[in-house]
Each structure stands twice: as structure tokens, then as C-alpha cells.
Amino acid sequence: FYCMITHIHLTVESQNCGTLLQVIVRQCVLDTLRLSREQLLEVKRRFSEEMTRGLSKQTHKQASIKMLPTYVRSTPDGSEHGDFLALDLGGSSFRVLLVRVRSGTKRSVDMQQKIYSIPQEIMQGTGEELFNHIVDCIADFLEYMGMKGASLPLGFTFSFPCDQTKLDEVIFFCLLCFQEFDLNFVAVVNDTVGTMMTCGYEDPKCEVGLIVGTGTNACYMEEMHNIELVEGDNGRMCVNVEWGAFGENGELEEFCTEFDHLVDACSNYPGKQRYEKMISGMYLGEIVRNVLLDFTAKGLLFRGKVSERLKTRGIFETKFLSQIESDRLAMRQVRSILQHLGLTGSTCDDSVLVKEVCSVVARRAAQLSGAGLAAVVDKIRQNRNLNQLSITVGVDGTLYKTHPHFSAIMQETLRDLAPQCEVTFLKSEDGSGKGAALITAVACRVKNEGQQ
């Protein structure tokens, strides 16, 4: 590099030359986090391949995207009505909801709920202990609502990464013991499906659900004849894509940086959920933190002096990305966030560079989300042999809703990679609780139609 400078006779002072070198190094590092259109198209292509493999009985076990059947056969059509109980199990709390669905001219969804905490010892205990706690909560809620002894259909949703063995235990106990309350146990779903159903009640064209928050996932209505894990060829069924696991077979390796590898190695499950680790709110702050540590070690930030707080894993929260990238946030406010991280000597130049790092990391996450979503909507279009598809995506998640630029970048990427799909986005409100009740309402409607 120095020879090149000499060759072209650049006459700059040594300090300026050092600054130029720093700019070159900085941009080289940031460029590893930028994705070209060709790379995004390749991500979409590989994603599509894994979707097909996940649907096939022959390749399902080897596929990184599992494409799990949900047994939800329809979205709301507006004729659903009745009273339903919904149970929403979160990480540290548990909600019991009474949801009243009205059809006709007074079509509406009214909810009443009560939130119960889940003690840590119960959350870490057996499935039976968790179930007993749930039973107590339901009993209390029914008495509170003056509905003791009422016979209601029930939907159960979980909106946190639940160990499948424990979840199976809880469902087993539910099936055995909910008769105690004379409840019809109808549906068990995750919050992604609930999001699609909640938005589907507002917009009949909503056939895709998307979560981009602490975690990320998608679901959509797939043709039954493509779902080889389930018998039957007629109609459609919602498929839980479980797209966070994309990349576990190495599909994303060439797009990963040293910072992605660091985050993955230090995670609870190295090698797993590779796509999620490049997109979701649980990991973006950690990617930024590792870039800042690298820049500081190279003398590009904070005069080469790192704070002890910045060395702490998880200290750079993803909400800082949203705050730092806010167009309303002045540089002195960015510096206040850095001071919170123990970087009291940060300069205005440091703030500018930190903002650029946050922007690059968030942009890549939004583009990767857009590439995956492009694969999903294009598959729906091809399934239906349409030249042009018009569809709505129900979406939830704090990253999508609170980051100032994430949604716009994701939608721009989607339009570019799936130009034959006209996609409308509808933000979900309470996809877990309301969604569980609507899934139950749809299941009851479909069952009644079948009986008739």
C-alpha cells in the first residue's frame, strides 16, 4: 500500500496518511458486512431449495428449514363467532384470555385477560409442575370472570423458545386434565402462526406471518399436495417455516464474517440458528459490539482504549441500534449511549463511526429478512401458477416495529428480489393471545362445516 502511495506521488503528511490507512481498513471491514444484489439473490435461491427439501419426506430430516405442518387449514373468513379461551405462555409470564369473537355487521374481537407470573423454579422444573401452575391460573381466571364451569374451546400458544420435550409434557397433561374445566383443547401454535391469523382477521389476503424481534420466524399457507409429511392433497395448510435454522447446513457460510463466527461460538447453541443470528434482536447488538472491539483494537475507535463494560457480552443491547440510527438523535445523544457503555472519552468522530457500524449491521439483517421473505412469497406465486401475486404479510416483533429503517429496507429488498409479488404489510396486535383464540375459532368453524 505504501509503495502504491509512493508510485502515484501522493504528498501527504504522515498523520494524514495514517488517517487514510484507517479509512481503508475501516471500509474493508465494513464491506464484509455488506451484501450485493447477486449475493442476496443467491441467498433467496438457497432458501427456496431448503424449503423444498423441508417439505419432502425424503429430504426433510437433512433440511435446515424444517417446514413443520401446523394443521391450521384455513385463515379467518369473518364468519367465526363465539367465546374462546386463549393461553399464552411467555418466558416469565402466563396470560389467560377470554376472547369474544362476533361476526356479521357487528364483527369484532373483544378480549379480557389476566397475567400470571411464572416463578423461576417452576419454569426450570418439570412439565407437570408447570402444568399444575397453569391449571391454578385457569381456575383463578374462570372464577374471576364468573365463568366457573363454563365449557369453552381453548387455544394454547407459546411465544418463547421452549424445549420440545417440556412442551410435549405440558400438552400431554393438558390433554389429560383440561377436562377438569370442561374445556375443548383445540389448538397449540407458536406466535408466528398467531400473527398471521390475527392479521388474517383484518385482511383476508393475509397468508403469511412474520416475526422479527428477539427471534425471527415465518409461516405461510402451503398447498397440501406439497406437504409430504401430512396425508391429503386437497386444500392448504399453514407451514411453520422455522427459518431461523437456515444456514445450519452451511448455506450461509460464505456470507458470514468473523464477527458472525464470534457471536455463534459464544452462543448457547453454536452452529444452530445461523440465519436468526444474522437477523434477530437477540444477536445484532452482539455483532455490533464485536465490530467495535475490533475497531478499537486496530486504533480506529476510542483512541484504541476499550472500556471494561464494552468487553461484557450482551452489554450492547439491540435497542441501542434503533436509538443510534434514529434520525432525530443528535450525535451528542449517541455519545451519551457510549458513555453508558463506559466510553467516557468518545469523540464526535467515534459517534459517527459507531452509527455507521449500526447502520451496516441492521441493513444486512433487513436485507437477509427480505431475501427469505422473497423466497416465501415467490413460492406461493409459483404454487398458484400466477404471473403476479397480491398478498399480505402479517408482521410482529420489536426490531421490525421500533427500528427506524429496518422495515423500509426489508420491503425494498423484497420488491427487488420478488418483482412479481405485490406485498402489503400489516402490523399485528397481540398475535400470541388474540391469534390463539382466532386459530381456535377457525378450527371450530372448519369442524362445524365438516359436520354439516
Side-chain angles (χ1 to χ4, degrees):
F1 181 75
Y2 280 113
C3 292
M4 183 182 74
I5 292 176
T6 305
H7 178 70
I8 60 175
H9 305 295
L10 284 178
T11 55
V12 293
E13 297 176 359
S14 59
Q15 183 180 356
N16 290 338
C17 187
T19 301
L20 181 59
L21 276 167
Q22 288 179 333
V23 170
I24 295 292
V25 171
R26 183 180 76 191
Q27 289 307 316
C28 284
V29 173
L30 290 178
D31 281 347
T32 66
L33 287 157
R34 294 187 172 103
L35 295 172
S36 67
R37 184 175 187 272
E38 289 69 29
Q39 287 175 312
L40 290 169
L41 282 168
E42 180 62 16
V43 169
K44 178 194 171 186
R45 187 189 68 78
R46 295 181 187 184
F47 197 101
S48 298
E49 283 185 357
E50 284 302 298
M51 288 175 71
T52 302
R53 280 162 49 82
L55 288 168
S56 167
K57 187 180 291 185
Q58 188 175 355
T59 55
H60 172 78
K61 287 185 178 179
Q62 293 79 40
S64 62
I65 302 177
K66 292 304 182 187
M67 307 292 285
L68 303 175
T70 67
Y71 300 91
V72 172
R73 297 294 308 273
S74 175
T75 53
D77 67 2
S79 66
E80 295 81 12
H81 62 277
D83 293 351
F84 305 90
L85 271 187
L87 313 180
D88 176 26
L89 183 62
S92 59
S93 64
F94 176 69
R95 287 192 304 158
V96 185
L97 304 93
L98 173 65
V99 183
R100 291 193 160 99
V101 182
R102 299 290 175 262
S103 58
T105 55
K106 295 183 179 179
R107 186 168 173 262
S108 64
V109 178
D110 297 317
M111 298 187 296
Q112 291 176 283
Q113 67 176 5
K114 200 170 180 183
I115 301 174
Y116 300 87
S117 63
I118 303 176
Q120 192 69 19
E121 62 271 18
I122 290 179
M123 202 62 204
Q124 294 176 349
T126 65
E128 185 173 3
E129 289 170 335
L130 181 55
F131 165 75
N132 288 334
H133 183 67
I134 291 171
V135 167
D136 292 339
C137 293
I138 295 171
D140 178 80
F141 181 77
L142 289 174
E143 191 167 338
Y144 169 75
M145 294 299 298
M147 300 181 68
K148 193 173 182 180
S151 178
L152 296 173
L154 175 99
F156 174 77
T157 183
F158 54 97
S159 50
F160 69 104
C162 181
D163 175 76
Q164 189 61 45
T165 304
K166 181 179 288 186
L167 182 61
D168 290 342
E169 284 185 67
V170 173
I171 295 169
F172 176 70
F173 284 118
C174 286
L175 291 170
L176 284 178
C177 303
F178 271 128
Q179 56 189 331
E180 174 180 338
F181 300 107
D182 197 21
L183 302 172
N184 301 311
F185 196 56
V186 175
V188 182
V189 295
N190 67 13
D191 56 344
T192 314
V193 182
T195 293
M196 181 189 75
M197 298 297 272
T198 301
C199 293
Y201 187 77
E202 304 297 327
D203 182 350
K205 285 167 56 179
C206 182
E207 296 184 84
V208 181
L210 173 66
I211 301 283
V212 189
T214 305
T216 184
N217 193 17
C219 68
Y220 72 102
M221 297 301 292
E222 176 60 87
E223 306 301 315
M224 277 292 292
H225 62 80
N226 289 334
I227 309 173
E228 295 183 8
L229 298 177
V230 177
E231 290 184 6
D233 291 331
N234 297 324
R236 294 168 184 157
M237 179 182 287
C238 178
V239 166
N240 172 15
V241 180
E242 286 295 340
W243 81 0
F246 177 56
E248 289 184 10
N249 290 336
E251 303 94 337
L252 293 170
E253 193 58 36
E254 69 189 79
F255 310 113
C256 288
T257 67
E258 61 180 296
F259 311 111
D260 296 305
H261 291 303
L262 277 169
V263 169
D264 179 51
C266 295
S267 69
N268 292 334
Y269 302 100
K272 303 294 184 182
Q273 300 294 108
R274 299 303 301 273
Y275 190 57
E276 182 170 80
K277 287 171 183 172
M278 300 173 79
I279 291 175
S280 76
M282 184 177 287
Y283 302 101
L284 293 192
E286 219 14 45
I287 295 173
V288 169
R289 187 183 71 87
N290 278 288
V291 176
L292 299 186
L293 286 173
D294 179 74
F295 278 5
T296 306
K298 289 180 168 72
L300 304 175
L301 265 177
F302 314 130
R303 299 186 181 89
K305 297 176 182 178
V306 67
S307 69
E308 288 302 314
R309 283 179 66 79
L310 192 60
K311 293 179 184 177
T312 306
R313 184 169 165 246
I315 196 69
F316 199 100
E317 300 174 50
T318 297
K319 70 176 182 180
F320 293 153
L321 272 79
S322 299
Q323 293 170 359
I324 287 171
E325 278 214 75
S326 172
D327 297 327
R328 299 188 301 271
L329 202 63
M331 281 302 164
R332 65 176 180 274
Q333 291 168 299
V334 177
R335 287 179 68 182
S336 72
I337 292 174
L338 297 179
Q339 287 168 358
H340 168 72
L341 298 170
L343 301 161
T344 54
S346 63
T347 65
C348 186
D349 286 344
D350 289 333
S351 297
V352 171
L353 182 49
V354 169
K355 187 167 185 174
E356 185 178 7
V357 171
C358 291
S359 174
V360 169
V361 170
R363 181 175 185 82
R364 185 187 68 162
Q367 289 177 321
L368 285 170
S369 299
L373 196 55
V376 170
V377 296
D378 241 354
K379 187 173 194 322
I380 296 172
R381 181 185 63 79
Q382 291 163 9
N383 283 346
R384 300 176 188 181
N385 296 313
L386 295 172
N387 185 50
Q388 197 76 22
L389 173 72
S390 179
I391 198 166
T392 297
V393 175
V395 61
D396 203 352
T398 52
L399 184 58
Y400 181 90
K401 287 183 173 180
T402 64
H403 191 281
H405 308 301
F406 191 98
S407 61
I409 295 168
M410 187 187 80
Q411 291 174 31
E412 175 191 351
T413 305
L414 175 62
R415 284 193 298 271
D416 184 40
L417 302 186
Q420 292 172 273
C421 300
E422 182 185 329
V423 182
T424 302
F425 287 83
L426 184 60
K427 291 180 183 179
S428 168
E429 297 300 330
D430 196 7
S432 52
K434 185 178 177 181
L438 285 169
I439 289 167
T440 307
V442 169
C444 290
R445 185 202 83 211
V446 171
K447 182 181 178 182
N448 291 335
E449 289 172 350
Q451 289 173 346
Q452 292 169 6

